[in-house]
Amino acid sequence: MLKEISLNSYWEFKLDRKNEGLGNEWYTAIPDNTDNIWVPSCWNESDEELFDYEGVAWYFRKFIFKEIQDVKRYVLFFYGVNYKCDIWLNGKAVGSHTGGFTPFEIDITESLVINGENLIAVRVDSEINNMTSPPIGVDWFNYGGIYRDISIIGTGESWLEDVTVVTKMNGEVAVTIDVGNFTAAGDYSINLTVDDKDRMEPVYDVTEKITCGKKTITLVVETPKLWSPDSPFLYDFKICLKKNDKPMDYWTHRIGIREFSISNRKVLLNGEVIYLRGYSKHEEYPVTGRTFSDDIVRKDYDLCKKGSANFLRLCHYPHHLKEYEIASETGFLVIAEVPNVNFKKEQFQNPELLELANKQMQDTIKYYKNETCIMFWSLFIECKTYEDAAVDFVPKYIKLAKAMDPTRFVVHASDIPTEDRTYEYFDVVGINYWLGWYNGHTIEDGSLLLDRIAARYPEKPVLMTSGGWEGMYGQHSRKARIKWSEESQADYLESLIDLYVSKDYIIGQIVWTFNDFRVSSWLIDGEAKWPSRPMGINHKGVLDFYRRPKLSYYRLQEAFKKWDEKPV
């Protein structure tokens, strides 16, 4: 970008419980009786009366926009709006978006008033149903609103539409660049530099002509500093697009040189076996809800690192892009997820929903593919993949994902491992393990179950993608294994580590979950309830909602180290 202007600020806000805003054309002028709301934020945290509100609300902002030298194209960039939104600029519809967790951009060049006043109106509908992605009934809270950053991005008449960086452990790097609005009449060039913060001069600096809209530059970083959880070194990549020697667009990102592979039923980072241990983590924080805070997220990652983790499952949707940057910087491998959660037969048979699933996956890979930390794309979460419609759809979906990014592994975090008919298409067998908490089976029963599943796929590594036990902060018992006590939670989680480490085919585990989190009420027989969720909180965190460690955090801090002793 040549210029980025943040629109984070106080906006005017109005609920639309009766859905009358469209008919009354609120997008042409700000209606009466609006309130102020900070953008970005979750409206559920802005007012006590909106705590459980799901529905429609409007956002409005007037602003003066002054001309920016050399900028010819203006894009409105949203990092995330939940769930659906429609956008108007100066009374003209400029775009819409469905899906609460993927970034999106809208070209507003023709509608933006330069050196004059502008009015943005955004209609947001947070309500989900049985045919949204995610569908109703998911076990987390449905925060609504413009809850991530907004900005206006300016470029020249041509721009960097897409950049893909692929690294190998030997220092080979392929940088593929797509130029938007490429015209053959122009004289285009690309300047690419790679900087090492420990060196005065760039480790790579080249300028090349570009004669079509797409170009791949292959380079070699000599004696590369490889990225790993123990040494998360990042290089600064910078690209400048010029047309007729005039800058059109800039792109910068911090990227680590590393390579993933699978061999002998193990996952390898930079050619060496690595065992994975860590937590699931929702994008949720006290007071701010789902709105990103750099300081709070960094504190979370510090707690994870001190808890002997090297692996995080950022569930169950794409988090803010900045969180993955922090994960890369602090040395965590990550599962990134798309919100295909709890799909059953009816979802797998719905063409519109499957089209949305394709779009959300493509957008996730487009915007997140250059994040060094991401090792897995989790494409499905506890879906009914024994259905014929699922068996038809899943291989096509994986093929599409692999076409966009063949460098990472794909996984389904499945809660029906004995019934799953699609494991053969994934790189690893993902198992969500709930024996003990939700039923009366023992750890020994689970051991036999895991052996049977692993025997069906003798070439594939097994990753324990979820599993946990609820313990309420401050609730202690004289007798271990009394449900809801901190002792019972800690004992159970420690026993799982012993089980998993003993299995040669298991490459790692994710504990559900890092911290307690809010859940939306479920509709059961038409009545809203929180089954097994006291206070509307899922208490499976090893920290509570306010990040106070439970006994299990300290137990796992030591027990996770057993993975380091496992033979390779």
Side-chain angles (χ1 to χ4, degrees):
M1 64 192 75
L2 293 179
K3 185 74 173 179
E4 181 174 15
I5 300 170
S6 173
L7 294 182
N8 294 355
S9 181
Y10 280 106
W11 289 47
E12 295 189 62
F13 176 80
K14 189 176 181 65
L15 287 185
D16 193 3
R17 294 182 186 272
K18 297 181 180 180
N19 199 18
E20 58 187 359
L22 280 174
N24 291 331
E25 298 184 347
W26 287 358
Y27 48 84
T28 60
I30 300 175
D32 296 331
N33 302 318
T34 59
D35 297 312
N36 283 339
I37 192 171
W38 181 260
V39 172
S41 69
C42 303
W43 68 48
N44 315 81
E45 296 289 353
S46 68
D47 190 302
E48 181 180 13
E49 295 182 1
L50 300 180
F51 185 80
D52 289 314
Y53 179 67
E54 290 189 17
V56 178
W58 290 69
Y59 294 75
F60 308 91
R61 183 172 174 195
K62 287 184 178 179
F63 62 98
I64 301 294
F65 196 87
K66 297 181 180 180
E67 184 177 11
I68 302 172
Q69 185 177 1
D70 297 329
V71 172
K72 304 299 182 183
R73 170 179 174 262
Y74 297 93
V75 172
L76 194 59
F77 192 92
F78 291 81
Y79 282 83
V81 180
N82 193 43
Y83 167 74
K84 296 170 63 175
C85 65
D86 300 285
I87 302 101
W88 293 263
L89 181 58
N90 300 320
K92 179 181 178 181
V94 292
S96 61
H97 185 262
T98 299
F101 306 103
T102 49
F104 61 97
E105 51 196 87
I106 297 169
D107 192 320
I108 57 171
T109 307
E110 299 301 321
S111 302
L112 185 67
V113 176
I114 307 296
N115 296 323
E117 186 178 74
N118 293 269
L119 170 64
I120 294 180
V122 183
R123 179 184 183 271
V124 180
D125 185 352
S126 72
E127 189 172 6
I128 58 176
N129 57 49
N130 207 35
M131 289 299 163
T132 55
S133 178
I136 194 169
V138 292
D139 195 22
W140 70 79
F141 192 81
N142 185 35
Y143 289 99
I146 305 176
Y147 69 100
R148 292 181 184 160
D149 309 88
I150 307 178
S151 60
I152 294 177
I153 293 173
T155 73
E157 63 189 57
S158 300
W159 57 89
L160 295 165
E161 178 69 29
D162 194 22
V163 176
T164 304
V165 179
V166 176
T167 67
K168 294 185 177 181
M169 57 182 286
N170 63 1
E172 290 183 13
V173 181
V175 182
T176 301
I177 299 159
D178 287 320
V179 176
N181 197 38
F182 181 89
T183 54
D187 181 14
Y188 288 86
S189 65
I190 291 286
N191 175 244
L192 167 64
T193 62
V194 182
D195 285 315
D196 177 339
K197 62 181 176 59
D198 297 328
R199 296 176 57 174
M200 289 293 294
E201 299 297 324
V203 298
Y204 196 85
D205 188 346
V206 67
T207 298
E208 294 190 9
K209 297 290 185 181
I210 180 167
T211 57
C212 66
K214 188 170 184 177
K215 183 178 183 64
T216 298
I217 298 175
T218 302
L219 60 101
V220 176
V221 176
E222 300 292 344
T223 317
K225 300 174 182 177
L226 298 182
W227 183 95
S228 71
D230 293 329
S231 180
F233 188 88
L234 300 173
Y235 291 87
D236 293 313
F237 283 70
K238 302 174 185 178
I239 297 173
C240 177
L241 170 68
K242 291 184 179 181
K243 180 180 180 182
N244 302 329
D245 289 327
K246 189 173 185 179
M248 294 284 107
D249 203 1
Y250 295 99
W251 181 91
T252 63
H253 204 65
R254 301 181 70 208
I255 295 173
I257 295 176
R258 54 96 183 103
E259 185 174 357
F260 303 131
S261 58
I262 292 178
S263 179
N264 297 323
R265 218 177 191 184
K266 298 288 191 294
V267 292
L268 281 64
L269 171 64
N270 301 328
E272 296 183 359
V273 173
I274 184 168
Y275 290 115
L276 309 167
R277 72 277 187 160
Y279 306 100
S280 290
K281 183 179 180 296
H282 268 292
E283 188 179 34
E284 183 177 24
Y285 316 98
V287 180
T288 64
R290 189 167 284 129
T291 300
F292 176 88
S293 166
D294 188 276
D295 292 339
I296 294 175
V297 173
R298 287 184 182 279
K299 179 62 176 178
D300 279 356
Y301 277 72
D302 181 58
L303 285 164
C304 288
K305 183 70 74 171
K306 289 178 179 176
S308 304
N310 65 2
F311 188 41
L312 291 171
R313 180 182 172 198
L314 299 186
C315 56
H316 283 312
Y317 38 78
H319 291 208
H320 198 299
L321 274 165
K322 294 177 182 177
E323 181 163 354
Y324 299 82
E325 294 175 11
I326 291 173
S328 298
E329 180 183 325
T330 54
F332 282 91
L333 291 160
V334 162
I335 299 178
E337 303 202 312
V338 292
N340 299 328
V341 187
N342 296 347
F343 279 16
K344 303 178 180 65
K345 182 177 181 179
E346 56 189 322
Q347 283 82 25
F348 279 117
Q349 289 181 333
N350 186 299
E352 292 183 0
L353 183 60
L354 297 185
E355 183 179 350
L356 175 61
N358 280 331
K359 180 67 165 58
Q360 289 193 127
M361 181 263 287
Q362 290 172 305
D363 285 346
T364 299
I365 295 178
K366 173 183 176 181
Y367 287 108
Y368 293 77
K369 63 190 171 188
N370 292 318
E371 303 305 331
T372 302
C373 61
I374 298 175
M375 190 179 202
F376 296 86
W377 298 116
S378 175
L379 302 182
F380 300 93
I381 304 149
E382 297 191 349
C383 293
K384 299 302 182 258
T385 43
Y386 52 72
E387 298 287 355
D388 289 343
V391 176
D392 178 64
F393 178 70
V394 168
K396 300 173 186 175
Y397 197 70
I398 293 174
K399 184 178 181 180
L400 179 60
K402 287 288 190 179
M404 293 189 68
D405 180 12
T407 70
R408 293 181 172 93
F409 311 131
V410 294
V411 65
H412 171 205
S414 177
D415 64 341
I416 52 164
T418 60
E419 303 169 79
D420 194 298
R421 296 169 56 197
T422 63
Y423 271 148
E424 63 183 286
Y425 304 109
F426 292 92
D427 296 307
V428 300
V429 173
I431 299 176
N432 287 5
Y433 181 98
W434 297 108
L435 298 185
W437 177 254
Y438 289 116
N439 51 53
H441 291 90
T442 65
I443 293 290
E444 291 72 22
D445 294 331
S447 178
L448 296 173
L449 170 69
L450 293 174
D451 289 344
R452 289 200 304 271
I453 297 168
R456 295 180 186 176
Y457 307 96
E459 303 299 321
K460 293 184 181 293
V462 174
L463 176 64
M464 307 307 297
T465 42
S466 195
W469 183 284
E470 298 201 53
M472 298 183 69
Y473 179 81
Q475 299 299 311
H476 296 279
S477 63
R478 293 179 61 187
K479 178 184 177 182
R481 298 279 176 168
I482 292 179
K483 283 195 172 186
W484 301 98
S485 70
E486 289 193 34
E487 287 80 5
S488 65
Q489 181 190 41
D491 285 355
Y492 178 76
L493 293 178
E494 196 168 8
S495 296
L496 287 189
I497 292 177
D498 290 335
L499 171 63
Y500 299 157
V501 170
S502 72
K503 304 293 185 182
D504 180 64
Y505 52 78
I506 295 181
I507 59 171
Q509 69 170 121
I510 286 291
V511 171
W512 186 269
T513 178
F514 174 63
N515 61 275
D516 296 346
F517 57 93
R518 287 178 61 187
V519 298
S520 294
S521 56
W522 297 352
L523 289 176
I524 299 177
D525 298 327
E527 183 179 352
K529 296 182 179 179
W530 279 307
S532 301
R533 300 291 183 266
M535 300 295 293
I537 297 285
N538 188 314
H539 294 274
K540 290 192 180 70
V542 300
L543 289 78
D544 77 349
F545 187 69
Y546 299 99
R547 276 45 174 188
R548 295 177 297 184
K550 303 176 189 176
L551 178 61
S552 54
Y553 173 80
Y554 296 109
R555 290 268 200 93
L556 294 187
Q557 191 175 42
E558 293 303 314
F560 271 160
K561 296 176 183 178
K562 295 177 182 179
W563 284 103
D564 294 329
E565 302 167 3
K566 183 171 179 173
V568 298

